[in-house]
Amino acid sequence: MRWLFDFLNSSIGKKVTVGLAGLLLCGFLLTHLAGNLILFAGQAKFNAYAEFLEKNPLLPALEIGLAALFLIHIIVTLYARWQNWQARPVSYEMTVSKGGRTWGSRTMTYTAFLLLGFIILHVATLKYGLATSFTEDEVFQRVMTFLKSPWMAGFYVLTMAGLGLHLSHGFESAFQTLGVNHPKYTPVIKAAGILFAVAVAGTFAVIPLWAYWQGGLK
Amino acid sequence: MNLTLRVWRQKGPKEKGHFETYQVQDVTPEMSFFEALDKVNEELITAGREPIAFDHDCREGICGTCSLTINGQPHGPDEAATGCQLHLRAFKSGDTITIEPFRARAFPVIKDLVIDRSALDRVMTAGGFVSVNTGSAAEANSILVPKDKSDAAMDAAACIGCGACVAACPNASAMLFVSAKVSHFALLPQGKPERDRRVLAMQKQMDLEGFGNCSNESECEAVCPKEIKVCNIARMNREFLRAIFWSKE
Ligand code: HEM
Ligand code: FES
């Protein structure tokens, strides 16, 4: 098993691990987004969906898997970034890009911390009801009450912008790391990455805007 | 034209470095950038001061010895060119130009702008070769190489090992260099027998030397004087995954 340890500890192995976890998290985003869109179908439908999820005996296992994906993605990246930071002890006085980096790739660390902060707040409040004054048990009511606040709705929209940036680099980068680079497919993967980032982040962002304009529950 | 040069001066590997400013008067746009440095050095020597140490050899972009970061860009502002191929016509009279060494933990400064790049040599020693028995040369057509493969291998072999990829990488990763070397063997039939052992050994040595981890920023590709492409990095990733999961190594 030594080879497996060597792999996970190698620079390429770390990247492959992060990339695979990231692609699976993209899958989670799609299912989560699809579920959230049921909000627009109204209170009854959304609460029925939430109840269906909560009653599902597989949910705890899925949640553990999801938490594991997030933790692997974050911890391995932090370890790699720490090594990268050490790899240049004396920094340049002047650095001018020749055009390799993108807005997405440049801001990966910042958007990552924004997303991490968001997830902690998001799960603590909407899922566990911490630091909130929810009197309602129902998920629909909770979401609407929560996003009535311009601060919260604003923070959600800001996070979605960060998510879009993060995905705009992460998606294509994961393929490159897994060795998928081909003159026929790479342009398609790059375009698909941008499309995925804009579409997923954009659609997510509609939800807090919509909820805010609804003014909570009437 | 007249230029102001801000040059990194560092007495030795353990010494703390700093910037010093020099004025270069009456140089012409057709002079090379290194000739301007020569001029400064001649004046420093005449004045009895220590000249600026900087690496150069061929001064025509083929040896990979020069290693200057010029105005924040390894090898300076020209596309697909080394620092020694840069001319003063890239600047305007009155410009201030900042000159630093290539910076990475794996490339310690020896003096001023001279760095130690033997880390790259050790990566090559670990696996960047093909083992063949000596004897008379084999018949050239006994192993056929498809044209597209030999072209791709030649493109990778164009790497002169200057280390600009490491210098430009926000993570100080050496992936473009190592992947070019892995690729030029992996693409050719002669390199195939040792491909698994080679990629594992070179990647291991690369990590031991203290380079950072690649995060696909592609700054390496943008500064490479030989236009080595990041598709080589993807190929190295494939070679590595193949060696780890399919080979018995
Ligand atoms: C407008 C955007 C979003 C809304 C309205 C929303 C809403 C929700 C709701 C209602 C829940 C379930 C609470 C429960 O079951 O009690 C949830 C869970 C969760 N959300 Fe979101 N979400 C949004 C965006 C995001 C984004 C962008 C991410 C990730 C980057 C994310 C990550 C999570 C996670 C990790 C959970 C916990 C899953 C679980 O353990 O069940 N959410 N979200
Ligand atoms: S001195 Fe030979 S490449 Fe610049």
Side-chain angles (χ1 to χ4, degrees), chain B residues 9 19 30 32 36 48 54 74 92 102 106 119 127 130 133 142 149-150 153 162 167 174 179 190-191 202 240 243 247:
Chain B
R9 302 299 311 258
F19 281 95
E30 51 279 358
S32 83
F54 68 103
K92 294 189 309 290
F102 286 179
V130 170
N133 294 326
S142 61
K149 290 279 187 300
S150 84
C162 62
S179 71
Q190 291 86 345
M202 291 179 80
F240 182 71
S247 83

Side-chain angles (χ1 to χ4, degrees), chain B residues 195-207:
Chain B
R195 66 195 284 193
D196 298 321
R197 204 185 310 158
R198 174 182 308 114
V199 69
L200 292 177
M202 291 179 80
Q203 121 82 36
K204 190 168 177 194
Q205 190 62 35
M206 171 180 87
D207 284 359

